[in-house]
Amino acid sequence: LPRGMSETAHNLSLNYNLVDNDHYYFNATLRYFLSDEDKGGGKNLYTNNNPEDKTYAWNPNSNSTKRPSLDLYYQRSLPHKQTLILNMVGTYIHTNANQMYQEWKNDILLSDILSNVDGDKYSIIGEGIYERQFEAGRLGGGLKHTQSWTDNTYSGGRTKMKQSETYLYTEFSGRVKKLNYTAGIGVSRSWLKQEGEEDYQYYTFRPKVSLQYNFTDNMYFRVNGSVNNVSPSLSELSAIEQYIDTLQIRRGNPYLKPYKSYDMQANYIKKEYSPET
């Protein structure tokens, strides 16, 4: 049945730059993201063989997100075509989701379900990258660490989780005639501890490759392949039951583990220009 909806989002940022063209570049960015959604509405439920026997379902829901973050980036030029890059990002995310579900028949309330989720997540991401240019290409390597703390409050309980991931990698990029290539290897360690459950750690070998063949200045074919690590979220791990409606219950699985994701992308690009340009 027709009903209005609203969706609002705001992105604010404040930047500061300090640059010495021959030596370093520093950037500090303070960001704030705010969103608010109000969706859902009413509908009539009935069976095909008895369309006159209707049940009215009322299902409004609202979601809001607040996300401030601070991003610090520093790049330093070193002798012998070397570069050092340091990046640190701190983020706080507060989410609130409210969902109501009611069923009415002949002005009689048959079902009344209210599901609320209130979440807080703090995270710190730090990365250091070293690069050096050679005649044959560019050699690089880095270390990235992510640490997060999550606290979710549901209508039926509360869950907490600590999570971290460390990624160490190296790669080499070069060119042979019309072929550009990048090959890299890395290893990541994932650690997770949900309150009331045993912690675990998971190691993943993560190779990557990228090939790009330039047929002309305006046409090329590129293939990217990589192995990545995907960790489950707290909502996917939580065994607390959330009632969605009279037919659905959402419940996570505390025994979920991180898994490998094999990604492959192929792109063919051809740039065309009009006679005027």
Side-chain angles (χ1 to χ4, degrees), residues 17-179:
N17 294 296
L18 183 63
V19 181
D20 184 329
N21 293 331
D22 297 327
H23 296 93
Y24 62 83
Y25 169 79
F26 173 75
N27 173 262
T29 303
L30 182 63
R31 299 184 178 92
Y32 185 77
F33 172 77
L34 172 66
S35 71
D36 189 70
E37 299 178 359
D38 184 11
K39 300 180 179 179
K43 57 186 176 182
N44 288 323
L45 308 177
Y46 56 88
T47 59
N48 289 331
N49 58 357
N50 193 7
E52 301 301 323
D53 187 17
K54 296 181 181 179
T55 300
Y56 177 72
W58 172 245
N59 181 216
N61 60 81
S62 61
N63 300 276
S64 64
T65 301
K66 300 175 182 178
R67 186 176 68 234
S69 65
L70 177 63
D71 188 341
L72 303 176
Y73 178 90
Y74 179 76
Q75 179 174 319
R76 182 81 182 187
S77 298
L78 302 174
H80 308 296
K81 297 182 180 180
Q82 300 177 95
T83 304
L84 179 65
I85 300 173
L86 301 174
N87 188 213
M88 180 74 71
V89 180
T91 306
Y92 165 67
I93 305 175
H94 175 75
T95 56
N96 182 266
N98 299 307
Q99 178 170 291
M100 177 187 293
Y101 184 84
Q102 294 180 337
E103 286 188 5
W104 296 80
K105 190 171 185 178
N106 299 326
D107 296 327
I108 299 175
L109 181 63
L110 304 178
S111 176
D112 189 5
I113 298 173
L114 180 62
S115 178
N116 294 331
V117 181
D118 200 66
D120 294 289
K121 182 176 181 178
Y122 302 84
S123 65
I124 297 177
I125 303 173
E127 184 172 15
I129 301 174
Y130 168 80
E131 295 181 349
R132 181 167 183 177
Q133 296 284 346
F134 297 92
E135 291 185 4
R138 176 184 58 84
L139 177 66
L143 176 66
K144 181 179 182 180
H145 181 76
T146 302
Q147 188 77 41
S148 63
W149 302 263
T150 308
D151 186 347
N152 285 350
T153 302
Y154 304 89
S155 301
R158 185 177 184 181
T159 56
K160 293 183 178 181
M161 183 175 70
K162 298 178 182 179
Q163 192 171 5
S164 69
E165 180 171 315
T166 304
Y167 177 42
L168 177 65
Y169 63 93
T170 183
E171 63 181 35
F172 185 84
S173 299
R175 182 174 182 175
V176 179
K177 296 183 179 180
K178 294 185 177 183
L179 177 66

